[in-house]
Amino acid sequence: MIRVAVVDDEPLARAGVLARLRGEPDITVVGEFADGRELAALRRTSVDVAIVDIQMPGRDGLDALAAIPVAERPLAILLTAHEHFAVRAFELQAVDYLLKPIDDERFGEAIDRARRQLRGQTAAAAMQRFAIRVGTRLSFVDVDDVEWIEADGDYAVLHVRGQRHLLREPLHTLSRRLDPSRFVRVHRSAIVRVDQVEELRPRPNRDAVLRLRDGTALRASRTYIETLLAALHRVA
């Protein structure tokens, strides 16, 4: 079982996280707290993952995490209503960074990221090739050749050097099998390979427009933008 602590000073927000966790059969909640000072006392020996609101009275979530020695620090999934903490969050090696109000699908992805880290999965363990079925024929596409992926109903379309390959797998399950350091979801209907992003232009509604190296323009929604920015920061 994965031991999880929830740290948020807002009772309704805390209750929402706890309700989502009840749907995860391999997770047990070992504590809920309303103050960052209580978070600073948590250690990996008793908690595997801490789901933490950044802005809290007493001590904010980032300062409380920073006070825990790295070797003893639980994995952290950070929650916030604001966007400007992302870089510092990932400097603290946070698993994920979720904007409030929390999107259920994004929450599930964050929990899956934590699972993979706890199980010691690495980039080498992530999928290396896609199997593409065309009629009775099966062909293979290297993950390294895929520039971006879009949803097409219950299928996914791989974009490779101007060609499209239909994969019989929905985007939300595919995203959980990709190396998260290389592929990032930017929208409900799109995943990009991080090193293919040539330009990012913020929009007034806090979304952004991405331009990929091949000239493709994609929208990045605010739900996913902070994870993307952190990934771009890491490869810069």
Side-chain angles (χ1 to χ4, degrees), residues 34-67:
D35 194 302
R37 288 172 295 195
E38 296 172 286
L39 166 63
L42 300 180
R43 292 294 185 272
R44 187 170 288 187
T45 53
S46 58
V47 175
D48 299 307
V49 180
I51 300 177
V52 181
D53 185 31
I54 290 179
Q55 292 184 296
M56 292 182 289
R59 193 173 202 179
D60 75 32
L62 294 176
D63 288 341
L65 284 170

Side-chain angles (χ1 to χ4, degrees), residues 45-186:
T45 53
S46 58
V47 175
D48 299 307
V49 180
I51 300 177
V52 181
D53 185 31
I54 290 179
Q55 292 184 296
M56 292 182 289
R59 193 173 202 179
D60 75 32
L62 294 176
D63 288 341
L65 284 170
I68 304 173
V70 174
E72 302 176 27
R73 187 183 300 157
L75 298 182
I77 296 171
L78 299 177
L79 313 176
T80 181
H82 305 282
E83 301 169 341
H84 55 276
F85 298 108
V87 171
R88 188 178 172 210
F90 282 89
E91 287 173 349
L92 289 170
Q93 300 179 4
V95 172
D96 213 333
Y97 182 102
L98 304 181
L99 291 177
K100 295 180 177 179
I102 299 170
D103 178 87
D104 288 343
E105 193 168 333
R106 280 288 289 116
F107 185 84
E109 289 180 0
I111 294 296
D112 280 335
R113 282 173 178 260
R115 284 192 181 100
R116 287 198 295 268
Q117 288 200 29
L118 289 169
R119 292 170 183 163
Q121 291 185 356
T122 64
M127 61 162 44
Q128 302 299 316
R129 295 199 300 172
F130 296 100
I132 307 297
R133 185 177 295 279
V134 181
T136 59
R137 180 170 57 88
L138 197 63
S139 60
F140 297 92
V141 175
D142 288 343
V143 169
D144 290 343
D145 293 334
V146 175
E147 294 149 353
W148 69 285
I149 308 169
E150 68 176 319
D152 185 1
D154 290 332
Y155 299 119
V157 178
L158 311 180
H159 290 262
V160 182
R161 301 190 190 98
Q163 295 185 327
R164 293 162 51 94
H165 302 276
L166 188 66
L167 184 68
R168 298 184 181 185
E169 182 174 356
L171 200 70
H172 70 274
T173 62
L174 176 61
S175 68
R176 298 172 183 176
R177 301 199 293 129
L178 293 166
D179 179 359
S181 69
R182 301 187 63 215
F183 289 89
V184 175
R185 191 128 177 219
V186 298

Side-chain angles (χ1 to χ4, degrees), residues 1-5 24-31:
M1 295 294 287
I2 299 173
R3 302 164 299 174
V4 174
E24 305 289 344
D26 60 341
I27 285 177
T28 181
V29 177
V30 295

